[in-house]
Amino acid sequence: MTLSRKGRVGSGPGGSRRWGVAVVKVAVAIALTWLILRAAGFQLAESASSIDWTLLRPDIPVLLLSVAALFAAFALQGWLWARLLIHFGGPPVRLTAATAMILVANMGRYIPGKIFQLAGLALLAKREGISGVQAGVAAVTGQLLNLLAAAMVGGWAAYAAGSMAEGAGLAAGLAVVLGAAVLVGLGGAGRMLRWLLRRSGHEGEVALPGRRILGLCLAGYIVGWAAYGLAFFWLARGCGLDVPAVTAITAFSGAYFVGYISLAPGGIGVREGGLYVLLVPVLGAQASLMLAGLQRVWITIGELLGAVGGAVLLKTRERA
Protein backbone atom coordinates (compact mmCIF):
# COMPACT_ATOMS: atom_id res chain seq x y z
CA MET A 1 0.00 0.00 0.00
CA THR A 2 2.79 2.41 0.93
CA LEU A 3 4.70 1.62 -2.24
CA SER A 4 1.68 2.22 -4.42
CA ARG A 5 1.07 5.62 -2.86
CA LYS A 6 4.69 6.60 -3.37
CA GLY A 7 4.53 5.38 -6.92
CA ARG A 8 1.80 7.82 -7.86
CA VAL A 9 3.23 11.00 -9.37
CA GLY A 10 1.88 14.08 -7.67
CA SER A 11 0.21 12.25 -4.75
CA GLY A 12 1.03 13.03 -1.14
CA PRO A 13 3.11 15.87 0.32
CA GLY A 14 6.18 15.08 -1.80
CA GLY A 15 4.24 15.21 -5.06
CA SER A 16 2.51 18.44 -4.06
CA ARG A 17 5.85 19.95 -3.19
CA ARG A 18 7.28 18.99 -6.61
CA TRP A 19 4.31 20.51 -8.40
CA GLY A 20 4.63 23.63 -6.25
CA VAL A 21 8.32 23.99 -7.15
CA ALA A 22 7.48 23.57 -10.85
CA VAL A 23 4.81 26.28 -10.69
CA VAL A 24 7.19 28.63 -8.89
CA LYS A 25 9.89 28.01 -11.53
CA VAL A 26 7.47 28.80 -14.36
CA ALA A 27 6.27 31.94 -12.58
CA VAL A 28 9.86 33.09 -11.98
CA ALA A 29 10.75 32.46 -15.65
CA ILE A 30 7.76 34.52 -16.83
CA ALA A 31 8.51 37.33 -14.38
CA LEU A 32 12.20 37.29 -15.33
CA THR A 33 11.36 37.52 -19.03
CA TRP A 34 8.99 40.43 -18.44
CA LEU A 35 11.54 42.30 -16.31
CA ILE A 36 14.31 41.78 -18.86
CA LEU A 37 12.23 43.01 -21.78
CA ARG A 38 10.89 45.94 -19.77
CA ALA A 39 14.35 46.91 -18.50
CA ALA A 40 15.64 46.76 -22.07
CA GLY A 41 13.22 49.55 -22.89
CA PHE A 42 11.61 47.61 -25.74
CA GLN A 43 7.99 48.77 -25.40
CA LEU A 44 6.32 48.83 -28.79
CA ALA A 45 3.30 50.82 -27.70
CA GLU A 46 5.43 53.68 -26.38
CA SER A 47 8.00 53.57 -29.18
CA ALA A 48 5.59 53.39 -32.13
CA SER A 49 4.97 57.14 -32.08
CA SER A 50 8.65 58.11 -32.14
CA ILE A 51 10.24 55.39 -34.31
CA ASP A 52 9.66 54.79 -37.98
CA TRP A 53 9.05 51.04 -37.99
CA THR A 54 8.73 51.03 -41.77
CA LEU A 55 12.52 50.99 -41.84
CA LEU A 56 12.30 47.30 -40.98
CA ARG A 57 11.96 44.91 -43.93
CA PRO A 58 11.90 41.42 -42.39
CA ASP A 59 13.54 38.57 -44.29
CA ILE A 60 12.44 35.38 -42.52
CA PRO A 61 15.10 32.98 -43.96
CA VAL A 62 17.90 35.36 -42.93
CA LEU A 63 16.36 35.84 -39.47
CA LEU A 64 16.26 32.05 -39.06
CA LEU A 65 19.91 31.95 -40.15
CA SER A 66 20.73 34.45 -37.39
CA VAL A 67 19.03 32.22 -34.81
CA ALA A 68 20.94 29.17 -36.08
CA ALA A 69 24.23 31.10 -35.86
CA LEU A 70 23.35 32.24 -32.33
CA PHE A 71 22.84 28.64 -31.18
CA ALA A 72 26.06 27.63 -32.93
CA ALA A 73 27.84 30.30 -30.85
CA PHE A 74 26.19 28.88 -27.70
CA ALA A 75 27.46 25.41 -28.64
CA LEU A 76 30.98 26.76 -29.17
CA GLN A 77 30.89 28.24 -25.65
CA GLY A 78 29.89 24.83 -24.30
CA TRP A 79 32.66 23.09 -26.24
CA LEU A 80 35.31 25.53 -24.99
CA TRP A 81 34.21 25.08 -21.37
CA ALA A 82 34.30 21.29 -21.81
CA ARG A 83 37.85 21.51 -23.20
CA LEU A 84 38.97 23.69 -20.30
CA LEU A 85 37.39 21.22 -17.87
CA ILE A 86 39.50 18.41 -19.32
CA HIS A 87 42.68 20.48 -18.99
CA PHE A 88 41.81 21.18 -15.35
CA GLY A 89 41.65 17.44 -14.72
CA GLY A 90 37.92 16.89 -15.23
CA PRO A 91 36.23 14.15 -17.27
CA PRO A 92 35.13 14.51 -20.90
CA VAL A 93 31.63 16.00 -21.28
CA ARG A 94 29.46 15.53 -24.34
CA LEU A 95 28.84 18.68 -26.36
CA THR A 96 25.08 18.52 -25.84
CA ALA A 97 25.41 18.25 -22.06
CA ALA A 98 28.07 20.98 -21.85
CA THR A 99 25.97 23.35 -23.98
CA ALA A 100 22.87 22.57 -21.91
CA MET A 101 24.70 23.40 -18.68
CA ILE A 102 26.08 26.63 -20.16
CA LEU A 103 22.61 27.74 -21.34
CA VAL A 104 20.90 26.97 -18.03
CA ALA A 105 23.66 28.64 -16.00
CA ASN A 106 23.57 31.69 -18.31
CA MET A 107 20.29 32.78 -16.74
CA GLY A 108 22.29 33.61 -13.61
CA ARG A 109 23.66 36.65 -15.48
CA TYR A 110 20.35 38.40 -14.90
CA ILE A 111 20.70 38.17 -11.11
CA PRO A 112 22.64 41.13 -9.59
CA GLY A 113 26.22 40.09 -8.94
CA LYS A 114 28.67 38.39 -11.27
CA ILE A 115 29.02 35.01 -9.56
CA PHE A 116 25.64 33.34 -9.99
CA GLN A 117 26.26 32.27 -13.59
CA LEU A 118 29.59 30.66 -12.65
CA ALA A 119 28.29 29.13 -9.43
CA GLY A 120 25.29 27.74 -11.29
CA LEU A 121 27.54 26.05 -13.84
CA ALA A 122 29.60 24.45 -11.07
CA LEU A 123 26.41 23.24 -9.35
CA LEU A 124 24.98 21.76 -12.56
CA ALA A 125 28.26 20.00 -13.27
CA LYS A 126 28.31 18.57 -9.75
CA ARG A 127 24.83 17.11 -10.33
CA GLU A 128 26.29 15.39 -13.42
CA GLY A 129 28.95 13.71 -11.27
CA ILE A 130 31.72 16.20 -12.12
CA SER A 131 33.88 17.82 -9.47
CA GLY A 132 32.34 21.17 -8.57
CA VAL A 133 35.81 22.59 -7.94
CA GLN A 134 37.11 21.56 -11.37
CA ALA A 135 33.94 22.80 -13.08
CA GLY A 136 34.01 26.09 -11.15
CA VAL A 137 37.67 26.77 -11.90
CA ALA A 138 37.07 25.99 -15.59
CA ALA A 139 34.03 28.30 -15.58
CA VAL A 140 35.93 31.20 -13.99
CA THR A 141 38.87 30.73 -16.36
CA GLY A 142 36.54 30.50 -19.34
CA GLN A 143 34.71 33.67 -18.33
CA LEU A 144 38.02 35.51 -17.92
CA LEU A 145 39.22 34.37 -21.35
CA ASN A 146 35.81 35.21 -22.83
CA LEU A 147 36.02 38.76 -21.45
CA LEU A 148 39.58 39.12 -22.74
CA ALA A 149 38.42 37.98 -26.17
CA ALA A 150 35.48 40.44 -26.14
CA ALA A 151 37.87 43.27 -25.23
CA MET A 152 40.27 42.27 -28.01
CA VAL A 153 37.53 41.99 -30.65
CA GLY A 154 35.36 44.95 -29.72
CA GLY A 155 36.46 46.61 -26.48
CA TRP A 156 38.74 49.01 -28.34
CA ALA A 157 35.79 50.10 -30.50
CA ALA A 158 33.65 50.75 -27.43
CA TYR A 159 36.44 52.76 -25.82
CA ALA A 160 37.01 54.81 -28.98
CA ALA A 161 33.31 55.63 -29.13
CA GLY A 162 33.27 56.74 -25.48
CA SER A 163 30.38 54.37 -24.86
CA MET A 164 27.89 54.25 -21.98
CA ALA A 165 30.56 53.70 -19.31
CA GLU A 166 31.39 57.44 -19.48
CA GLY A 167 35.12 57.33 -20.06
CA ALA A 168 36.60 56.70 -16.63
CA GLY A 169 34.55 53.56 -15.90
CA LEU A 170 35.31 52.04 -19.27
CA ALA A 171 39.01 52.91 -18.99
CA ALA A 172 39.06 51.20 -15.58
CA GLY A 173 37.41 48.12 -17.07
CA LEU A 174 39.94 48.00 -19.88
CA ALA A 175 42.75 48.35 -17.34
CA VAL A 176 41.40 45.40 -15.36
CA VAL A 177 41.14 43.29 -18.52
CA LEU A 178 44.66 44.20 -19.63
CA GLY A 179 45.97 43.42 -16.15
CA ALA A 180 44.24 40.04 -16.26
CA ALA A 181 45.77 39.39 -19.69
CA VAL A 182 49.23 40.08 -18.29
CA LEU A 183 48.54 37.76 -15.35
CA VAL A 184 47.47 34.96 -17.68
CA GLY A 185 50.31 35.56 -20.14
CA LEU A 186 53.06 35.70 -17.51
CA GLY A 187 51.73 32.82 -15.43
CA GLY A 188 50.67 34.96 -12.47
CA ALA A 189 47.10 33.70 -12.70
CA GLY A 190 48.31 30.12 -12.40
CA ARG A 191 50.35 30.89 -9.30
CA MET A 192 47.41 32.74 -7.74
CA LEU A 193 45.05 29.87 -8.52
CA ARG A 194 47.51 27.34 -7.10
CA TRP A 195 47.71 29.38 -3.86
CA LEU A 196 43.91 29.57 -3.56
CA LEU A 197 43.54 25.83 -4.17
CA ARG A 198 46.20 25.07 -1.58
CA ARG A 199 44.47 27.29 1.01
CA SER A 200 41.09 25.67 0.32
CA GLY A 201 42.43 22.12 0.44
CA HIS A 202 41.72 21.32 -3.23
CA GLU A 203 45.25 21.56 -4.62
CA GLY A 204 45.42 17.91 -5.66
CA GLU A 205 41.97 17.99 -7.27
CA VAL A 206 42.72 20.44 -10.07
CA ALA A 207 45.42 20.22 -12.72
CA LEU A 208 46.64 23.56 -14.06
CA PRO A 209 46.94 23.98 -17.85
CA GLY A 210 49.95 25.72 -19.35
CA ARG A 211 50.00 29.08 -21.12
CA ARG A 212 49.84 27.37 -24.52
CA ILE A 213 46.49 25.75 -23.67
CA LEU A 214 45.13 29.04 -22.32
CA GLY A 215 46.30 30.82 -25.46
CA LEU A 216 44.54 28.27 -27.69
CA CYS A 217 41.35 28.61 -25.64
CA LEU A 218 41.59 32.41 -25.89
CA ALA A 219 41.77 32.03 -29.68
CA GLY A 220 38.69 29.83 -29.47
CA TYR A 221 36.79 32.53 -27.58
CA ILE A 222 37.83 35.09 -30.20
CA VAL A 223 36.29 32.79 -32.82
CA GLY A 224 33.24 32.60 -30.57
CA TRP A 225 32.82 36.39 -30.67
CA ALA A 226 33.14 36.29 -34.43
CA ALA A 227 30.27 33.76 -34.43
CA TYR A 228 28.15 35.95 -32.15
CA GLY A 229 28.92 38.96 -34.34
CA LEU A 230 27.94 37.10 -37.52
CA ALA A 231 24.66 36.06 -35.88
CA PHE A 232 24.03 39.73 -35.06
CA PHE A 233 25.01 40.69 -38.62
CA TRP A 234 22.37 38.30 -39.99
CA LEU A 235 19.84 39.67 -37.49
CA ALA A 236 20.44 43.16 -38.91
CA ARG A 237 20.23 41.90 -42.49
CA GLY A 238 17.10 39.93 -41.63
CA CYS A 239 15.54 43.18 -40.41
CA GLY A 240 16.48 44.90 -43.68
CA LEU A 241 19.26 46.99 -42.10
CA ASP A 242 22.60 47.23 -43.90
CA VAL A 243 25.43 46.79 -41.39
CA PRO A 244 28.92 45.71 -42.56
CA ALA A 245 29.99 42.36 -41.09
CA VAL A 246 33.11 43.81 -39.43
CA THR A 247 31.05 46.58 -37.80
CA ALA A 248 28.50 44.06 -36.55
CA ILE A 249 31.19 41.84 -35.01
CA THR A 250 33.12 44.64 -33.29
CA ALA A 251 29.98 46.50 -32.15
CA PHE A 252 28.35 43.41 -30.64
CA SER A 253 31.54 42.34 -28.86
CA GLY A 254 32.28 45.86 -27.63
CA ALA A 255 28.72 46.34 -26.34
CA TYR A 256 28.94 43.04 -24.44
CA PHE A 257 32.23 44.11 -22.89
CA VAL A 258 30.77 47.44 -21.75
CA GLY A 259 27.65 45.71 -20.40
CA TYR A 260 29.69 43.14 -18.48
CA ILE A 261 31.89 45.63 -16.66
CA SER A 262 28.78 47.61 -15.65
CA LEU A 263 26.75 46.75 -12.55
CA ALA A 264 23.55 46.11 -14.53
CA PRO A 265 22.31 42.48 -14.40
CA GLY A 266 22.97 40.95 -17.81
CA GLY A 267 24.24 44.35 -18.96
CA ILE A 268 20.62 45.43 -19.46
CA GLY A 269 20.41 48.95 -20.84
CA VAL A 270 24.17 49.44 -20.90
CA ARG A 271 24.72 46.95 -23.71
CA GLU A 272 21.90 48.50 -25.72
CA GLY A 273 23.37 51.97 -25.16
CA GLY A 274 26.78 50.75 -26.30
CA LEU A 275 25.31 49.19 -29.44
CA TYR A 276 23.40 52.37 -30.19
CA VAL A 277 26.52 54.54 -29.95
CA LEU A 278 28.59 52.14 -32.06
CA LEU A 279 25.94 51.75 -34.77
CA VAL A 280 24.82 55.38 -35.13
CA PRO A 281 27.65 56.32 -37.55
CA VAL A 282 26.54 53.50 -39.85
CA LEU A 283 22.75 53.30 -39.46
CA GLY A 284 21.66 56.62 -38.00
CA ALA A 285 19.73 57.17 -34.77
CA GLN A 286 16.35 55.60 -35.66
CA ALA A 287 17.62 52.33 -37.09
CA SER A 288 20.33 51.99 -34.40
CA LEU A 289 17.76 52.37 -31.62
CA MET A 290 15.50 49.74 -33.20
CA LEU A 291 18.32 47.26 -33.78
CA ALA A 292 19.69 47.68 -30.24
CA GLY A 293 16.26 46.92 -28.77
CA LEU A 294 15.60 44.04 -31.16
CA GLN A 295 19.00 42.57 -30.31
CA ARG A 296 18.02 42.31 -26.64
CA VAL A 297 14.72 40.62 -27.43
CA TRP A 298 16.41 38.28 -29.94
CA ILE A 299 19.19 37.11 -27.63
CA THR A 300 16.96 36.94 -24.54
CA ILE A 301 14.41 34.74 -26.30
CA GLY A 302 17.27 32.60 -27.64
CA GLU A 303 18.77 32.23 -24.15
CA LEU A 304 15.40 31.40 -22.60
CA LEU A 305 14.59 28.78 -25.23
CA GLY A 306 18.08 27.34 -24.86
CA ALA A 307 17.77 27.28 -21.06
CA VAL A 308 14.42 25.50 -21.22
CA GLY A 309 15.75 22.96 -23.72
CA GLY A 310 18.93 22.52 -21.68
CA ALA A 311 16.96 21.98 -18.46
CA VAL A 312 14.80 19.32 -20.16
CA LEU A 313 17.91 17.59 -21.54
CA LEU A 314 19.68 17.56 -18.17
CA LYS A 315 16.55 16.33 -16.40
CA THR A 316 16.20 13.52 -18.96
CA ARG A 317 19.85 12.54 -18.44
CA GLU A 318 19.35 12.59 -14.66
CA ARG A 319 16.35 10.26 -14.91
CA ALA A 320 18.19 7.95 -17.28
Side-chain angles (χ1 to χ4, degrees):
M1 181 72 73
T2 303
L3 290 174
S4 64
R5 278 199 299 267
K6 285 185 179 180
R8 290 187 211 150
V9 178
S11 63
S16 301
R17 190 179 301 112
R18 283 193 294 272
W19 278 110
V21 170
V23 171
V24 169
K25 286 181 178 179
V26 171
V28 169
I30 294 172
L32 183 62
T33 306
W34 180 82
L35 287 172
I36 292 169
L37 299 183
R38 182 174 177 81
F42 191 78
Q43 301 172 5
L44 294 177
E46 297 177 8
S47 302
S49 59
S50 59
I51 294 180
D52 182 10
W53 294 99
T54 61
L55 292 172
L56 297 180
R57 300 180 300 279
D59 185 333
I60 301 303
V62 179
L63 287 173
L64 292 176
L65 179 61
S66 76
V67 174
L70 179 63
F71 277 90
F74 289 157
L76 180 56
Q77 292 276 327
W79 183 80
L80 287 167
W81 173 73
R83 299 306 301 172
L84 277 170
L85 179 63
I86 291 174
H87 290 299
F88 277 110
V93 181
R94 293 177 65 91
L95 177 61
T96 51
T99 305
M101 285 187 273
I102 287 285
L103 287 169
V104 174
N106 263 354
M107 302 314 295
R109 294 191 297 112
Y110 295 104
I111 302 174
K114 301 296 185 182
I115 66 168
F116 293 100
Q117 175 187 4
L118 305 175
L121 185 55
L123 179 61
L124 289 170
K126 193 172 182 179
R127 291 179 61 178
E128 291 285 310
I130 302 167
S131 164
V133 176
Q134 293 171 344
V137 171
V140 172
T141 304
Q143 189 63 12
L144 174 61
L145 295 176
N146 197 34
L147 188 60
L148 289 174
M152 293 171 67
V153 175
W156 60 271
Y159 182 77
S163 192
M164 297 297 288
E166 298 182 357
L170 183 57
L174 281 170
V176 170
V177 170
L178 291 174
V182 171
L183 275 176
V184 171
L186 298 181
R191 286 191 291 270
M192 186 182 301
L193 180 59
R194 192 176 291 108
W195 178 82
L196 289 171
L197 290 170
R198 186 166 58 250
R199 292 295 300 268
S200 62
H202 295 285
E203 185 179 15
E205 192 173 343
V206 178
L208 296 180
R211 282 176 286 180
R212 176 178 171 274
I213 296 299
L214 294 177
L216 289 173
C217 289
L218 177 61
Y221 281 107
I222 291 174
V223 173
W225 282 113
Y228 275 119
L230 283 175
F232 176 65
F233 165 73
W234 282 316
L235 171 68
R237 287 296 176 92
C239 292
L241 301 175
D242 189 13
V243 180
V246 173
T247 301
I249 293 171
T250 55
F252 190 84
S253 304
Y256 173 91
F257 171 74
V258 174
Y260 190 88
I261 65 174
S262 72
L263 299 178
I268 293 176
V270 180
R271 186 196 297 175
E272 287 69 43
L275 264 179
Y276 173 80
V277 171
L278 291 168
L279 293 174
V280 160
V282 177
L283 292 178
Q286 289 267 332
S288 297
L289 182 61
M290 282 190 296
L291 187 54
L294 287 169
Q295 167 273 151
R296 173 61 72 174
V297 176
W298 166 74
I299 199 167
T300 298
I301 291 176
E303 287 176 338
L304 284 170
L305 290 175
V308 170
V312 171
L313 175 64
L314 294 176
K315 193 66 176 177
T316 302
R317 285 168 56 86
E318 185 178 327
R319 289 173 178 170

